[in-house]
Amino acid sequence: MNPVSFFEQSKLKPFHIWFVFWLFIIMMFEGYDVVIYGATIPFLKESWGISDIVAGSIGSYTTIGTAIGAVIFGLYSDRFERKRIIILTTVMFSLFTMLSGFAPNATFFTVCRVIAGLGFGGAMPNVASLISEYAPLKFRAAIISFIFCGYSVGAMGASFIGQAVLPDFGWQPVYWIGAIPLFLLPLMVKAIPESLEYLLTNKQHNRIAKIVDKIQPSVTATLDFTFKKKAKVKKSPISALFTKKYAISTMMFWLSCFCTFILMYSLNTWLPTLMLQTGYNLSSSLMFVAVLQIGSIVGTLILGNVIQKVGYKKVLIPLYFVGAVSLTLIGFSTNLYLAYFLIFLIGAATVGLQNMSNAFVANYYPVDIRSAALGSTMAFGRIGSIVAPTYVAVLLTMNLQPQLNFMLIGIAAIFGMIAMFFINDKAADYQTDQQLDESNTKTA
């Protein structure tokens, strides 16, 4: 049996659990570091006397840094090895989030946020790519989706910590909390393995054997390290994404991610304002933000398991539709509990849907272009995160009815649904793996 087949067919072991745990922690602190900025804007404006436009620009610059990080670290992770990239990007966003808390002025703060943004963008695609190499094929989609739930947990934590710390201690301490991953690095380095593709390419068989020993020691002696690997693309990773086999699907993945990021960042930035405009008397926006994140977590965990049985498109396409309908209905809702329920569904159909889409991309492409696929998809999606706050701001300046504002945001879900429909599921890498499993006799 070759190492790739071994990990695909393995059972969940403590090795997998600790591996997933630390990747979850990385994503959790990334979610915290990204969302905490929104909670501190009023305090930053008071401290430095900056305007709303400047505050919004800092957020946009950070997102641009995130898009650049997704491209750079996604494209070159195969060359520099995914584990190193994950550790490097974790250090980047943790260190510069902490330094943001010591910023004496808006300029230094912006520079720190942009560099942290590079780390934000680089971590996500490499986390998904690395775990997809080692996760059992049976649980791969659910594991990737679960790891990305860490982002939502961190975002929720940012809301609660911000409410607890900001009034009494100011904005600086909430950024210092972002340094916690730096103290956990030795444990992360020990638990997170090197990329399997990298180890095989460089013939570091002893390291692979050590990883296999953690799962099933008796198999190590029978592994075949000379197995015939899939032919690697000779073109650049981005060019490989636009071959005849993948071109349409790549563009559709990019478009669907763009639409989902419009939904996510429209709500992350303007949900409290939109709900107040609808007529809710909210003393705090905390509950609506929290319910949105809870919906994303619950939706990811439940639907991530459903995906294993029915496939990605049969879950994600209806979920886009649910998001569009929920966004339309919430503008007409006058019942608080019904509004919570609709926000819960919207959370599953935005952040939760993106978590599962990340797993879809990670499973769709072969391992040698997987990071490039994830990085480029998220980079294109980040354009939506840059456009979304301004798009909703323009809607608000037009003094439209609240119901119409939500409906115009929900249009993005319709386009995302259409894009997902045109992805060619038959060209997916996991379909090839399943066909090989059926036609080949494995030897141990």
Side-chain angles (χ1 to χ4, degrees):
M1 181 184 293
N2 66 58
V4 175
S5 297
F6 170 78
F7 287 110
E8 287 180 346
Q9 298 172 24
S10 65
K11 297 180 179 180
L12 285 176
K13 298 289 184 178
F15 161 78
H16 296 106
I17 294 172
W18 281 109
F19 185 12
V20 169
F21 171 78
W22 286 114
L23 294 183
F24 182 93
I25 293 296
I26 290 172
M27 294 309 305
M28 182 179 75
F29 276 97
E30 175 165 344
Y32 173 87
D33 291 352
V34 170
V35 174
I36 198 62
Y37 174 67
T40 60
I41 286 177
F43 297 85
L44 296 175
K45 289 168 60 180
E46 183 179 349
S47 295
W48 296 326
I50 59 177
S51 65
D52 289 330
I53 294 177
V54 173
S57 298
I58 293 173
S60 295
Y61 295 147
T62 303
T63 307
I64 292 171
T66 304
I68 295 173
V71 173
I72 294 175
F73 293 114
L75 292 180
Y76 293 101
S77 61
D78 293 319
R79 182 180 302 177
F80 297 108
E81 205 273 310
R82 293 185 181 96
K83 177 181 177 178
R84 295 175 185 173
I85 296 295
I86 290 171
I87 298 300
L88 172 62
T89 52
T90 300
V91 170
M92 287 177 66
F93 72 69
S94 299
L95 177 61
F96 284 93
T97 295
M98 178 194 69
L99 292 177
S100 299
F102 294 99
N105 52 56
T107 301
F108 184 85
F109 181 87
T110 302
V111 171
C112 289
R113 291 298 292 175
V114 170
I115 298 175
L118 293 172
F120 298 149
M124 279 189 173
N126 285 286
V127 163
S129 294
L130 185 59
I131 191 61
S132 68
E133 294 185 54
Y134 289 101
L137 192 60
K138 182 179 179 181
F139 305 107
R140 183 184 292 170
I143 286 174
I144 295 174
S145 297
F146 172 76
I147 288 172
F148 277 93
C149 283
Y151 185 95
S152 299
V153 173
M156 240 171 36
S159 298
F160 288 112
I161 290 174
Q163 291 292 320
V165 174
L166 287 170
D168 296 326
F169 301 99
W171 61 270
Q172 291 90 346
V174 298
Y175 287 97
W176 300 342
I177 292 172
I180 291 177
L182 298 176
F183 299 98
L184 302 175
L185 281 177
L187 298 174
M188 293 180 185
V189 171
K190 183 178 180 180
I192 299 174
E194 289 86 356
S195 165
L196 179 60
E197 176 75 6
Y198 178 85
L199 295 178
L200 287 170
T201 301
N202 292 276
K203 299 182 179 180
Q204 298 185 24
H205 301 158
N206 289 336
R207 291 191 178 185
I208 299 174
K210 290 180 181 179
I211 299 171
V212 172
D213 278 339
K214 296 178 181 180
I215 299 174
Q216 192 174 343
S218 61
V219 174
T220 305
T222 63
L223 284 178
D224 178 13
F225 292 101
T226 61
F227 72 99
K228 184 179 179 181
K229 298 196 301 181
K230 296 177 183 177
K232 294 188 69 173
V233 292
K234 296 181 180 180
K235 301 179 180 180
S236 68
I238 286 293
S239 298
L241 298 178
F242 288 93
T243 57
K244 183 178 180 180
K245 182 178 181 180
Y246 297 121
I248 297 298
S249 295
T250 295
M251 289 187 288
M252 293 301 100
F253 273 125
W254 287 15
L255 178 57
S256 66
C257 188
F258 173 83
C259 294
T260 309
F261 270 69
I262 284 183
L263 295 170
M264 289 166 55
Y265 281 81
S266 293
L267 297 173
N268 284 342
T269 307
W270 294 108
L271 178 61
T273 302
L274 290 167
M275 295 307 293
L276 286 169
Q277 187 188 55
T278 305
Y280 290 95
N281 183 18
L282 299 175
S283 58
S284 170
S285 62
L286 177 61
M287 278 309 299
F288 276 109
V289 175
V291 170
L292 185 76
Q293 300 301 333
I294 292 171
S296 71
I297 295 170
V298 175
T300 301
L301 295 178
I302 294 177
L303 297 177
N305 286 307
V306 175
I307 281 174
Q308 296 293 144
K309 298 179 180 179
V310 303
Y312 289 97
K313 292 177 65 173
K314 291 182 180 179
V315 171
L316 299 182
I317 291 175
L319 195 54
Y320 270 119
F321 182 74
V322 169
V325 172
S326 298
L327 280 164
T328 300
L329 293 178
I330 197 167
F332 295 94
S333 172
T334 57
N335 182 283
L336 180 62
Y337 295 103
L338 178 58
Y340 283 148
F341 176 70
L342 292 172
I343 289 292
F344 178 90
L345 294 178
I346 292 169
T350 53
V351 182
L353 189 149
Q354 184 58 42
N355 292 340
M356 290 176 277
S357 294
N358 293 335
F360 192 6
V361 176
N363 277 328
Y364 190 88
Y365 293 93
V367 67
D368 50 336
I369 59 173
R370 188 171 291 155
S371 288
L374 280 160
S376 61
T377 300
M378 290 186 182
F380 193 85
R382 296 287 178 186
I383 299 175
S385 69
I386 298 170
V387 170
T390 304
Y391 170 64
V392 179
V394 171
L395 294 180
L396 292 173
T397 59
M398 295 172 66
N399 295 318
L400 303 173
Q401 291 295 318
Q403 296 83 356
L404 187 56
N405 286 332
F406 277 111
M407 291 173 65
L408 291 173
I409 294 171
I411 288 175
I414 299 298
F415 283 105
M417 179 178 66
I418 295 171
M420 189 65 65
F421 179 81
F422 283 102
I423 293 172
N424 182 10
D425 200 35
K426 295 181 180 179
D429 186 62
Y430 54 79
Q431 297 286 9
T432 303
D433 290 339
Q434 290 173 3
Q435 292 168 6
L436 288 174
D437 288 341
E438 293 172 0
S439 60
N440 294 342
T441 301
K442 301 251 189 276
T443 58

